[in-house]
Amino acid sequence: MMEWIWFKGVLLGLSIAIPLGPIGILCIRRSLSGGFWHGFYTGVGTASADALYCIAAAFGFAALHRFILLSQAWLQGLGGLFLLYLAGQFFRSHTPDIDGKRTDSSNYWHAAASSFALTLTNPMTILSFAALFASVGIIEAENLSVTLSFVFGIFTGSLLWWLLLSSLAAWSRQRLTVRSLQNLQYLAAVVIAAFGTAALWSFARQM
């Protein structure tokens, strides 16, 4: 029973993480520029934020739900500004280092922290998880071990996707020229800026 609940969480975690959004673009760009670990730690930050929101949804933190609903527009605006900041950093950053000589392990946790913060600015995450838990009947189970097993399954599934994505991107960078990597970096900056602009436009319409 517990194994099935965990496996169901893994499948749902994968389905939540796979759609390519700004975090996916960020993970690919960091893997291409700084190597596997930069991309993977970006995924670790996102999976951790998902797990945090998932726990909040599972245990019905009513106060947090109300805060999310009241602050939805402002969180979206902050997320948009953060995305535009990241896009600007991409445009100004150095040429990607194929040999990985510039990789600095001290930046790994910075990559995780930034993606964690960016994921937390998505107010729909906790609402989506609340609907998800209700649909699969986990909230009604009122069983701590079942709920935690499901949450851990979602975290594991999400992390598996980021592991795969960062591995593929890091593998690809060894087969691309520096010019190609630079062009991909600019493309990532444009896409991230588009996501940020869309978030700010949505914020402006709600004000």
Side-chain angles (χ1 to χ4, degrees), residues 8 17 47 61 83 92 124 142 165 188 198-199:
K8 183 186 289 187
F61 294 168
L83 287 172
R92 293 193 299 270
M124 295 308 296
E142 297 182 356
L165 187 62

Side-chain angles (χ1 to χ4, degrees), residues 12-171:
L12 289 171
L14 280 168
S15 67
I16 291 169
I18 285 175
L20 193 62
I23 299 294
I25 300 298
L26 184 62
C27 178
I28 293 172
R29 185 269 174 186
R30 285 176 171 172
S31 298
L32 289 173
S33 179
F36 166 77
W37 288 110
H38 277 121
F40 179 66
Y41 271 76
T42 298
V44 169
T46 299
S48 299
D50 283 343
L52 181 62
Y53 269 151
C54 191
I55 291 172
F59 292 100
F61 294 168
L64 182 57
H65 279 241
R66 286 194 296 271
F67 172 77
I68 292 295
L69 291 173
L70 292 174
S71 308
Q72 179 174 337
W74 291 102
L75 288 172
Q76 198 166 34
L78 286 174
L81 289 174
F82 194 16
L83 287 172
L84 291 180
Y85 165 76
L86 289 175
Q89 292 292 99
F90 291 176
F91 274 118
R92 293 193 299 270
S93 61
H94 57 70
T95 301
D97 180 24
I98 294 179
D99 296 327
K101 296 178 181 178
R102 293 183 183 137
T103 299
D104 182 1
S105 60
S106 65
N107 290 330
Y108 294 157
W109 291 111
H110 177 269
S114 60
S115 62
F116 179 83
L118 183 58
T119 305
L120 287 183
T121 62
N122 182 1
M124 295 308 296
T125 304
I126 188 173
L127 303 179
S128 299
F129 277 125
L132 176 64
F133 272 80
S135 67
V136 297
I138 298 296
I139 292 178
E140 289 77 2
E142 297 182 356
N143 186 314
L144 180 61
S145 59
V146 170
T147 301
L148 291 180
S149 179
F150 187 66
V151 170
F152 183 66
I154 287 180
F155 175 79
T156 303
S158 178
L159 205 57
L160 284 174
W161 169 247
W162 298 118
L163 174 64
L164 176 62
L165 187 62
S166 54
S167 296
L168 289 175
W171 176 82

Side-chain angles (χ1 to χ4, degrees), residues 192-203:
I192 291 290
F195 277 114
T197 302
L200 287 178
W201 174 251
S202 179
F203 165 74

